[in-house]
Amino acid sequence: MLNRREFVGRGVSGQTLTFLALNAESEDAAGSRTIFDNTVGEGSTMDNVTAKWDATNDKVVVYGGNDYQNCGDFKVSKLSADGKTATLTGKIPTAVTEEGTPMYAYVSNAKIKKYNGGKHLEVDYSKQEGTFEDAMAHTLFWAKTTYTTKGDMQFIFLYKTTYLKLTLDFGDATLNSTASLLLNGTKISSLSRINAINNKTDGTDNSGGTNYIDDTKGVTIEKATITNGKSVVYVALYPQQVENVKLVATLADGTKYNFDISKGKKATLGTGAIYHITRTGVKEVKQ
């Protein structure tokens, strides 16, 4: 399980907002682990990864109210030695003054794209590198709170991403090569969009919820390394129930191996979890 991030507001001055950022590792690990269902397939496990703040590169985008144009960038201005506590400082164009006004935020990176002017947040999963670093780069953290002058404001950043760690056994310890991988199946997302803010006017709140999912193309890893007959790849996905999950590996010489990832089971992939799955492929016989 990857731990969510918490932000507690410490002060408001005009358009400038300052937040104390906490990584509530121990609390979240105990409180939310039970939501993860380890039912992807036989031999599956989950890894634990600690999320820390990056003082140089982390940027948080904060929305003031349901106006997608009233947003600003927040940076780490102070970081603790262990990287789990930080102070974030930034500005929004129009000051929020009304008690109870909704405020939203997400942790920005190059893989997260604003869509429809910023009303939605888009992640493209269709082409990945298969590395741990690239899978984590597809992570979307999103949070909501309300404005108040009566005490600290708190953002609890939730994962909108799940992960697979696939160990692929080609059944030949002498095989050292590369392969193009295609992961596909029911609800295997190639692109997702969530609502960055509340876009409804009927009194209901759809912020943070699914806006659009493309699950027709699958996920491609163009160059996975095979060493001594095995390849280990990481894949980021939008968290939802999946089934009929298959992977086809195509070697440089055109030889194909088929891997049955889900083995006939349905699984609801939990947010922030890394599911470790080992499978042995079946080599296609050329006609």
Side-chain angles (χ1 to χ4, degrees), residues 220-234:
T220 298
I221 297 173
E222 294 184 351
K223 196 173 183 180
T225 300
I226 305 170
T227 303
N228 299 329
K230 293 185 179 181
S231 181
V232 177
V233 294
Y234 289 83

Side-chain angles (χ1 to χ4, degrees), residues 126 180-184 217-221 246-250:
S126 62
S180 174
L181 309 181
L182 175 60
L183 180 72
N184 220 328
K217 301 174 184 177
V219 176
T220 298
I221 297 173
K246 312 288 184 182
L247 184 145
V248 178
T250 304

Side-chain angles (χ1 to χ4, degrees), residues 249-257 283-284 286:
T250 304
L251 275 58
D253 63 1
T255 302
K256 294 181 182 293
Y257 289 79
K283 184 177 180 179
E284 285 190 5
K286 293 183 179 180

Side-chain angles (χ1 to χ4, degrees), residues 49-64:
V49 177
T50 299
K52 296 183 179 181
W53 288 100
D54 184 336
T56 302
N57 299 312
D58 273 349
K59 181 177 74 173
V60 176
V61 178
V62 174
Y63 294 81

Side-chain angles (χ1 to χ4, degrees), residues 18-253:
T18 301
F19 297 92
L20 174 64
L22 305 175
N23 182 357
E25 179 180 355
S26 58
E27 294 178 12
D28 293 345
S32 60
R33 188 174 180 82
T34 55
I35 70 172
F36 300 122
D37 186 9
N38 186 14
T39 58
V40 177
E42 296 175 6
S44 302
T45 60
M46 292 186 295
D47 289 344
N48 294 317
V49 177
T50 299
K52 296 183 179 181
W53 288 100
D54 184 336
T56 302
N57 299 312
D58 273 349
K59 181 177 74 173
V60 176
V61 178
V62 174
Y63 294 81
N66 290 315
D67 180 359
Y68 66 93
Q69 295 180 322
N70 189 29
C71 64
D73 295 341
F74 286 67
K75 297 286 290 182
V76 174
S77 56
K78 184 179 180 181
L79 185 66
S80 65
D82 62 7
K84 297 177 183 179
T85 304
T87 299
L88 304 179
T89 302
K91 292 183 178 181
I92 56 175
T94 303
V96 175
T97 59
E98 185 176 348
E99 194 79 13
T101 299
M103 301 184 71
Y104 312 93
Y106 71 94
V107 180
S108 177
N109 68 54
K111 302 290 186 182
I112 311 301
K113 306 295 183 183
K114 287 185 177 181
Y115 182 80
N116 195 13
K119 295 180 181 179
H120 310 115
L121 303 174
E122 180 179 281
V123 185
D124 187 343
Y125 304 100
S126 62
K127 292 184 179 181
Q128 299 184 38
E129 297 176 8
T131 64
F132 175 84
E133 291 78 10
D134 184 67
M136 295 302 109
H138 286 79
T139 299
L140 174 55
F141 288 104
W142 176 90
K144 176 185 176 181
T145 191
T146 55
Y147 175 80
T148 181
T149 59
K150 299 177 180 179
D152 292 338
M153 292 183 291
Q154 178 173 284
F155 277 134
I156 300 179
F157 278 72
L158 304 176
Y159 281 80
K160 297 293 183 177
T161 316
T162 191
Y163 315 88
L164 303 180
K165 179 183 179 182
L166 304 176
T167 300
L168 307 175
D169 189 340
F170 289 80
D172 179 0
T174 67
L175 180 61
N176 294 282
S177 184
T178 59
S180 174
L181 309 181
L182 175 60
L183 180 72
N184 220 328
T186 305
K187 299 295 183 180
I188 292 295
S189 53
S190 56
L191 183 144
S192 72
R193 296 186 195 122
I194 71 164
N195 299 308
I197 62 173
N198 182 12
N199 299 303
K200 287 194 172 183
T201 58
D202 59 2
T204 59
D205 182 3
N206 68 351
S207 62
T210 304
N211 173 263
Y212 171 78
I213 300 293
D214 184 347
D215 53 15
T216 63
K217 301 174 184 177
V219 176
T220 298
I221 297 173
E222 294 184 351
K223 196 173 183 180
T225 300
I226 305 170
T227 303
N228 299 329
K230 293 185 179 181
S231 181
V232 177
V233 294
Y234 289 83
V235 182
L237 297 168
Y238 188 75
Q240 54 188 340
Q241 186 180 81
V242 299
E243 60 181 313
N244 301 318
V245 183
K246 312 288 184 182
L247 184 145
V248 178
T250 304
L251 275 58
D253 63 1

